Amino acid sequence: MTEQEAHQQLEALRDELNEYNYQYHVLDNPTVSDAEYDQKMKQLTSIEAEYPSLITADSPSQRVGGEPLDAFEKVAHRVPMLSLGNAFNEEDLRDFDRRVREGLATENVTYVCELKIDGLAISLRYQDGLFVQGATRGDGTTGEDITSNLKTIRSIPLRIKDASSIEVRGEAYMPQQSFLSMNEAREANQEEPFANPRNAAAGSLRQLDPKIAAKRNLDIFLYAVGEWESGSLETHSDRLEYLQQLGFKTNPEWRKCQGIDEVIQYVEAWVEKRANLSYDIDGIVIKVNNLEAQEQLGFTAKSPRWAIAYKFPAEEAVTKLIDIELSVGRTGVVTPTAILEPVKVAGTTVQRASLHNEDLIQEKDIRIGDTVVIKKAGDIIPEVVRVVEDMRTDEQKPFTMPDICPSCGDEVVRLEEEVALRCINPNCPAQLQEGLIHFVSRLAMNIDGLGEKVIEQLFQASYIHTIADLYRLERDELLKLERMGEKSVQNLLTAIEQSKENSLERLLFGLGIRFVGSKAARTLAEHFETMDHLEKATFEDLVAVDEIGDKMADSIVTYFADEKVTQLIRELKELGLNMSYKGAKASDAPSDSVFSGKTVVLTGKLEIFSRQEAKQRIEALGGNVTGSVSKKTDLLIAGEDAGSKMDKAKKLEIEIWDEAKLQEVLGEEA
Ligand code: IVH
């Protein structure tokens, strides 16, 4: 293919793929199969690989292409991004309408009502039709440049359907479904779940590595125009329609309302209907439709006089707390849960709410039999807000946490600096059972066909007591379980057998060592390569690994010091489980570079490379970049103001380079 032909083909593929993307993500109406899309995308990327100079900014391959950043650049908003005044009830809305009518000296005002999307405000700048910059609102005057992260949002067009220059504004958000599945994965990974979709969206867009944002399934609705020199439309509703014509995703629920009564009807309807949406809204935004009228009304110091945000009250419900149930988690934490008389809140029926710990129960003075007010935090996770004291009789029973574990009867303890009570009996059946559920889970050993129910049955039948027993299960035993036929037993046994071949990181994560999530497990496996090495690692060896902190190192050392653990690992080994890392450690990296197999530490202020870039380039050449200097360090690269790491390296007589030397060597290696 000549360059000329490549150019033409790329142009056609880009247009085609961008159009498919628009149909799928903006119109929600896909016109080709995923396979067809993937095939075209492959074609595009392979031509681009051959002719990298022909890659354009609007190529669909550029959505996740960005490198991680060191920090976000600041962006000055040439037109400030203001926020809105609030209305909390009908009276506030009527006051707003009165001010508008007085300001315009007219009785007839047309408003546009829109859903108030609960996400974060974003500005998108297009130059000659091409998406060039995306920013957060920040303080309204200055935001942060999050272009790379925003490019990962598929409903944001990389090129608009008019070669004009325009800055548009809208709300980036995380759909509820994405939020729920992301939190599920985070919990499985021992990561703190996000409290609500809003925080999750904000957290995702604040990631320096766009690959993380790309995985978060964010979306956006555009609702305003910021800077626009050639703008000539007369009403806000015309602008919304124009945004849609340009290829932006606008929210379809907006309506024109004549006068405040119609506005109030719209607001009231959505108090009910909001539960049916697949994304969160926290109110309704009401805007004067005529743009000249908007101009005439102007702004106060903080917000426009032509718009207001009606905020929904957090939906609450009253119900009875029937009981408090205790459960023991994998790490022994005893958690109280309120069992409630079923009640509907924000669209779903709630019958349980976590009470978290004893302190919370005491603080709110929650007693069994109380009438309680509940709400959904971030409208998702049910929580007890308070007790309705007026409903208290002398029948409610105060609740105290037990001294013994509800599962095994051993004493529970309150560890220093923790509010949680813990059962520390390593043989506690509830912990073992939860531990096994974790062991077989998707991110750990990923054993298909072993759901919670089956594990519960296996424990009840006393077929298993430890992880090792899982690999000793017999066909006849399994056949005796409820709802287990020949076929499912065979499939299960095959899945168990296959799991023996898993690479070390899955086993490590599955063991459930405190603070070791799946990412840390991979780092450990990659670094130590075998279980033997890891078992022998000292605290110092561990903290020398990038991303392994004191807390985790401590926990790992304590874990492997336990004789029961050593015994378990010995048994697993005998049962045939793989104990080494099978991943692609520096597989593509040359084995004959200056950095091959070397452990390198970066310190001080680097001027030529960003930290991330230096790390990546060294790793690409087979080096291993770690966080701190130890006997294992082969090379220290020191920028300006290098401190204690430099001193330590000198003491250990480790080779030290400055940044210029690094640049020189990288140049030679390239
Ligand atoms: S218009 C100057 N429309 O609510 C007017 N804002 O409290 C700019 N928001 O910062 C805002 N949905 O983050 C507007 N349909 C909508 C909105 C909306 C959500 C957010 C936005 C803004 C905040 C105002």
Side-chain angles (χ1 to χ4, degrees):
M1 187 181 341
T2 65
E3 180 154 346
Q4 177 65 22
E5 282 165 349
H7 181 85
Q8 277 169 1
Q9 282 211 24
L10 281 179
E11 200 164 65
L13 283 166
R14 265 197 314 264
D15 286 352
E16 210 173 335
L17 284 160
N18 282 335
E19 182 61 22
Y20 293 154
N21 183 71
Y22 169 73
Q23 284 159 347
Y24 186 103
H25 293 280
V26 179
L27 303 182
D28 204 7
N29 181 26
T31 50
V32 289
S33 69
D34 288 358
E36 255 172 285
Y37 183 91
D38 291 346
Q39 193 253 329
K40 289 256 149 79
M41 188 72 186
K42 236 182 168 163
Q43 219 177 323
L44 173 103
T45 47
S46 78
I47 303 177
E48 283 184 344
E50 208 173 321
Y51 296 96
S53 64
L54 298 181
I55 301 176
T56 58
D58 67 335
S59 166
S61 66
Q62 299 306 295
R63 287 211 181 258
V64 255
E67 290 299 319
L69 305 170
D70 280 338
F72 296 118
E73 302 276 333
K74 296 268 176 277
V75 174
H77 298 301
R78 283 180 247 168
V79 176
M81 290 182 81
L82 299 175
S83 72
L84 298 174
N86 291 323
F88 296 100
N89 48 44
E90 188 178 326
E91 197 188 330
D92 293 347
L93 286 174
R94 291 195 183 278
D95 282 348
F96 163 72
D97 174 55
R98 191 180 32 75
R99 291 193 301 269
V100 169
R101 282 183 289 117
E102 281 172 10
L104 298 174
T106 170
E107 283 306 304
N108 297 318
V109 184
T110 305
Y111 294 104
V112 167
C113 289
E114 294 169 21
L115 304 186
K116 186 168 185 305
I117 315 297
D118 198 6
L120 59 156
I122 293 297
S123 141
L124 307 175
R125 185 173 286 281
Y126 288 77
Q127 210 147 26
D128 303 324
L130 195 68
F131 177 46
V132 289
Q133 187 176 61
T136 60
R137 184 175 104 90
D139 62 4
T141 317
T142 315
E144 288 182 318
D145 186 329
I146 54 164
T147 313
S148 312
N149 283 339
L150 288 170
K151 274 190 178 171
T152 69
I153 301 182
R154 309 255 159 192
S155 52
I156 294 182
L158 297 177
R159 180 181 286 286
I160 47 177
K161 299 185 172 176
D162 176 344
S164 60
S165 297
I166 188 171
E167 184 231 326
V168 297
R169 294 168 179 188
E171 199 84 352
Y173 67 96
M174 185 178 282
Q176 285 155 359
Q177 195 48 51
S178 315
F179 170 74
L180 291 174
S181 37
M182 180 195 66
N183 261 0
E184 228 170 77
R186 287 179 76 84
E187 285 188 68
N189 237 344
Q190 296 187 356
E191 289 168 326
E192 193 68 22
F194 284 108
N196 53 53
R198 209 199 94 79
N199 289 3
S204 305
L205 288 175
R206 227 180 284 122
Q207 296 289 335
L208 291 166
D209 184 352
K211 294 197 180 55
I212 301 180
K215 285 192 201 134
R216 298 281 175 85
N217 278 320
L218 300 173
D219 210 335
I220 195 168
F221 285 123
L222 281 308
Y223 50 64
V225 175
E227 198 181 20
W228 189 26
E229 276 170 12
S230 56
S232 61
L233 300 171
E234 279 172 18
T235 61
H236 176 67
S237 52
D238 286 347
R239 282 186 169 180
L240 285 176
E241 278 159 5
Y242 181 61
L243 284 174
Q244 198 180 357
Q245 280 165 29
L246 288 180
F248 290 110
K249 186 162 170 174
T250 53
N251 187 284
E253 309 295 351
W254 67 271
R255 292 290 173 275
K256 267 192 250 183
C257 292
Q258 303 301 333
I260 200 69
D261 287 333
E262 276 186 38
V263 168
I264 290 165
Q265 276 170 23
Y266 179 94
V267 167
E268 279 171 356
W270 276 103
V271 171
E272 292 296 315
K273 286 196 287 187
R274 62 187 286 221
N276 305 330
L277 292 167
S278 59
Y279 47 87
D280 283 2
I281 62 172
D282 59 343
I284 301 294
V285 179
I286 299 113
K287 302 172 182 173
V288 169
N289 193 29
N290 189 287
L291 297 178
E292 233 175 67
Q294 286 190 2
E295 206 165 319
Q296 200 177 329
L297 286 163
F299 299 84
T300 68
K302 285 188 300 194
S303 48
R305 288 201 188 86
W306 45 264
I308 197 160
Y310 171 82
K311 287 276 187 72
F312 290 135
E315 202 178 320
E316 294 184 339
V318 174
T319 188
K320 201 165 159 190
L321 189 150
I322 311 165
D323 199 3
I324 293 179
E325 206 180 81
L326 296 166
S327 59
V328 184
R330 166 160 70 86
T331 56
V333 173
V334 183
T335 309
T337 302
I339 308 299
L340 308 163
E341 243 165 41
V343 62
K344 230 171 167 194
V345 204
T348 58
T349 303
V350 171
Q351 34 197 345
R352 301 167 71 84
S354 172
L355 295 169
H356 303 288
N357 54 55
E358 187 171 22
D359 286 10
L360 185 128
I361 299 175
Q362 304 310 342
E363 228 167 76
K364 297 190 172 170
D365 188 20
I366 296 169
R367 306 181 190 180
I368 295 171
D370 264 336
T371 300
V372 291
V373 176
I374 65 159
K375 71 163 187 200
K376 288 205 212 149
D379 276 358
I380 299 251
I381 302 150
E383 106 185 7
V384 175
V385 183
R386 62 176 182 279
V387 169
V388 185
E389 303 231 359
D390 287 352
M391 297 290 284
R392 207 169 250 173
T393 59
D394 44 15
E395 278 173 25
Q396 288 77 22
K397 282 183 282 173
F399 176 82
T400 41
M401 290 288 272
D403 303 328
I404 57 166
C405 169
S407 169
C408 68
D410 259 30
E411 211 177 310
V412 289
V413 296
R414 195 172 195 158
L415 298 182
E416 228 178 306
E417 289 172 26
E418 281 194 349
V419 278
L421 287 179
R422 256 177 217 279
C423 165
I424 51 168
N425 170 15
N427 294 317
C428 166
Q431 284 181 57
L432 292 174
Q433 188 171 314
E434 291 298 315
L436 205 70
I437 291 171
H438 169 76
F439 184 80
V440 305
S441 65
R442 201 172 44 83
L443 291 167
M445 296 299 269
N446 193 22
I447 303 181
D448 262 352
L450 256 187
E452 280 184 39
K453 282 267 149 2
V454 180
I455 290 183
E456 247 174 65
Q457 287 185 59
L458 290 170
F459 266 90
Q460 263 156 23
S462 283
Y463 290 159
I464 47 178
H465 306 277
T466 71
I467 289 172
D469 292 339
L470 189 63
Y471 292 94
R472 301 190 183 104
L473 281 172
E474 307 246 347
R475 189 174 156 277
D476 296 348
E477 290 175 335
L478 289 170
L479 279 169
K480 283 190 210 139
L481 299 181
E482 247 176 74
R483 271 174 290 156
M484 284 291 250
E486 280 286 351
K487 185 108 200 276
S488 35
V489 167
Q490 194 45 54
N491 288 344
L492 180 54
L493 286 171
T494 312
I496 294 175
E497 193 59 29
Q498 278 171 352
S499 76
K500 291 182 179 174
E501 299 305 318
N502 283 340
S503 180
L504 177 63
E505 65 276 17
R506 285 188 175 272
L507 175 60
L508 273 182
F509 176 55
L511 289 174
I513 308 167
R514 263 192 101 193
F515 307 122
V516 180
S518 68
K519 185 155 175 273
R522 175 173 292 276
T523 306
L524 289 166
E526 214 169 353
H527 189 89
F528 292 95
E529 291 179 341
T530 67
M531 186 68 96
D532 280 348
H533 288 156
L534 183 62
E535 271 186 283
K536 289 191 197 112
T538 62
F539 178 85
E540 286 72 27
D541 296 335
L542 287 160
V543 288
V545 181
D546 224 6
E547 290 166 42
I548 307 294
D550 290 3
K551 219 163 73 172
M552 204 194 300
D554 216 11
S555 160
I556 295 167
V557 172
T558 314
Y559 181 80
F560 286 111
D562 186 340
E563 210 162 298
K564 285 200 200 72
V565 170
T566 343
Q567 168 70 19
L568 171 68
I569 288 170
R570 199 177 317 131
E571 283 178 43
L572 292 176
K573 227 181 264 177
E574 281 163 14
L575 287 160
L577 271 79
N578 167 57
M579 297 274 160
S580 51
Y581 180 58
K582 293 183 166 178
K585 183 179 180 179
S587 63
D588 302 329
S591 52
D592 56 355
S593 96
V594 183
F595 298 107
S596 307
K598 294 267 166 69
T599 300
V600 184
V601 174
L602 300 168
T603 189
K605 247 192 278 154
L606 300 185
E607 314 267 15
I608 307 169
F609 304 99
S610 73
R611 203 37 98 90
Q612 192 69 33
E613 194 187 353
K615 180 168 154 49
Q616 275 172 357
R617 295 194 50 181
I618 294 168
E619 285 176 346
L621 289 165
N624 181 21
V625 178
T626 67
S628 59
V629 175
S630 75
K631 279 181 299 198
K632 288 200 184 141
T633 309
D634 297 301
L635 174 64
L636 180 80
I637 292 165
E640 290 290 300
D641 298 323
S644 62
K645 286 185 193 173
M646 174 87 121
D647 299 340
K648 192 163 175 195
K650 279 184 184 155
K651 215 183 277 164
L652 292 170
E653 299 185 2
I654 289 166
E655 187 174 349
I656 300 173
W657 293 0
D658 61 16
E659 207 187 350
K661 167 92 181 182
L662 174 68
Q663 188 184 29
E664 187 188 320
V665 174
L666 285 176
E668 283 165 15
E669 289 289 344

